């Protein structure tokens, strides 16, 4: 079965700093999703990647999928307190999304 | 607005008292699914449905039932809730082509 591993598990950064979260799959990714979740709340869709080498950006967040389609990264530029939360990657399979373990991001002033 | 609507958002109940969490989507999606989220265990699929009258077990189906009598609705039924079903539940839908999942806002269930 496919597994996703995220790193780091937890990240504490100062406001204004850049950061990167990684998501590694045990199998080839055919659809990779990034979500953000505030504690105990719903999942907010960020981006979806499908093609090897694909890169998408939205505001200060950029996500990339490597050429081999087994690893994705999420990069935040000039972090702000509003970026705080749990970031989840999800891999699309035939019948479900498989989620990574999540990365908890804290941004302090 | 395209969305998945779950109700209720919060529910506290007692062991053994049957309950239903509703899920409705307005995007004419074929696929719908239920997940539960628990600390340290992440998000795990409970049941899913590829279309009307077609349902199948996910990774953690024990203690749950679902039905898909119409395309827009996919209720989650707990016939006899137990404390280990205390969790945050999410409903999701997507098109048949697999492009894009939409999640509901979640239902926080506490069973005492």
């Amino acid at each position: 079965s496919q597994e996703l591993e995220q790193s780091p598990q937890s990240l504490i950064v100062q406001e204004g700093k850049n950061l990167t979260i990684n998501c590694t799959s045990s199998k080839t990714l055919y659809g990779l999703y990034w979500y953000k979740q505030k504690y105990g709340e719903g999942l907010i869709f960020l981006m979806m990647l499908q093609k090897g080498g694909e890169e998408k950006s939205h505001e200060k967040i950029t996500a990339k999928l490597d050429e081999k389609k087994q690893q994705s990264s999420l990069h935040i530029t000039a972090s702000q307190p509003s970026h705080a939360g749990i970031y989840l990657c999800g891999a699309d399979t035939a019948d479900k999304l498989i989620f990574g373990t999540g990365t908890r991001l804290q941004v302090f002033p | 607005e395209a969305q998945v609507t779950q109700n209720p958002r919060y529910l506290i109940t007692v062991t053994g008292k049957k309950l239903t969490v509703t899920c409705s989507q307005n995007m004419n999606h074929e696929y719908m699914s239920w997940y539960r989220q628990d600390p340290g265990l992440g998000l795990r699929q409970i049941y899913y449905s590829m279309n009307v009258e077609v349902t199948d077990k996910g990774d953690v189906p024990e203690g749950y039932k679902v039905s898909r009598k119409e395309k827009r609705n996919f209720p989650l039924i707990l016939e006899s809730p137990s404390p280990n079903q205390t969790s945050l539940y999410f409903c999701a839908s997507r098109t048949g082509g697999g492009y894009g999942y939409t999640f509901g806002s979640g239902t926080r269930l506490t069973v005492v």
Side-chain angles (χ1 to χ4, degrees), chain A residues 12-54:
Chain A
I12 303 173
V13 301
Q14 187 175 28
E15 184 175 358
K17 297 294 186 184
N18 303 335
L19 63 103
T20 299
I21 299 169
N22 294 302
C23 176
T24 302
S25 174
S26 59
K27 295 183 179 180
T28 300
L29 292 160
Y30 292 100
L32 188 285
Y33 294 77
W34 282 101
Y35 290 90
K36 177 187 174 185
Q37 184 182 25
K38 292 285 191 180
Y39 179 73
E41 297 182 9
L43 278 68
I44 301 168
F45 172 75
L46 296 176
M47 273 168 278
M48 177 192 174
L49 305 165
Q50 287 185 294
K51 299 176 183 177
E54 187 175 9

Side-chain angles (χ1 to χ4, degrees), chain A residues 33 37 50 92 95-97, chain B residues 31 35 37 59 98-101:
Chain A
Y33 294 77
Q37 184 182 25
Q50 287 185 294
D92 205 356
D95 53 16
K96 64 185 172 188
L97 265 182
Chain B
Y31 173 97
Y35 290 82
Q37 186 179 33
D59 298 316
Y99 298 122
Y101 287 78

Side-chain angles (χ1 to χ4, degrees), chain B residues 4 10 14 26 29 36 39 42-43 59-60 64 77-78 81 101-102:
Chain B
V4 175
Y10 301 93
V14 296
N26 61 1
H29 284 172
R36 62 178 287 175
L43 281 146
D59 298 316
V60 288
Y64 304 94
I77 304 158
L78 285 73
Y101 287 78
T102 302

Side-chain angles (χ1 to χ4, degrees), chain A residues 95-97 99, chain B residues 4 6 23 25 30-36 44-50 56 58 66 68 74 76 89-94 101-104:
Chain A
D95 53 16
K96 64 185 172 188
L97 265 182
F99 286 93
Chain B
V4 175
Q6 290 180 232
C23 175
Q25 50 95 3
E30 291 88 1
Y31 173 97
M32 297 184 75
S33 181
W34 277 101
Y35 290 82
R36 62 178 287 175
R44 295 174 293 170
Q45 190 187 52
I46 303 170
Y47 267 96
Y48 66 98
S49 170
M50 289 294 194
D56 213 338
V66 292
R68 189 86 184 275
F74 191 45
L76 180 69
Y89 291 86
F90 289 103
C91 180
S93 72
R94 70 155 202 233
Y101 287 78
T102 302
F103 281 82

Side-chain angles (χ1 to χ4, degrees), chain B residues 61-106:
Chain B
E62 295 78 20
Y64 304 94
K65 287 175 62 177
V66 292
S67 69
R68 189 86 184 275
K69 296 178 181 177
E70 48 190 342
K71 205 170 191 178
R72 64 182 292 123
N73 295 322
F74 191 45
L76 180 69
I77 304 158
L78 285 73
E79 294 271 0
S80 183
S82 62
N84 65 12
Q85 292 178 298
T86 293
S87 187
L88 180 59
Y89 291 86
F90 289 103
C91 180
S93 72
R94 70 155 202 233
T95 62
Y99 298 122
Y101 287 78
T102 302
F103 281 82
S105 300

Side-chain angles (χ1 to χ4, degrees), chain A residues 64-75:
Chain A
K64 300 178 185 179
L65 183 62
D66 74 338
E67 289 290 345
K68 293 183 179 179
K69 295 173 64 176
Q70 282 198 276
Q71 190 166 36
S72 178
S73 62
L74 186 82
H75 184 78

Side-chain angles (χ1 to χ4, degrees), chain A residues 15 20-21 27 52 55-57 73 75 82 89 100 104 107 109:
Chain A
E15 184 175 358
T20 299
I21 299 169
K27 295 183 179 180
E55 179 176 320
K56 289 186 178 179
S57 294
S73 62
H75 184 78
S82 62
C89 62
R104 183 180 293 273
V107 181

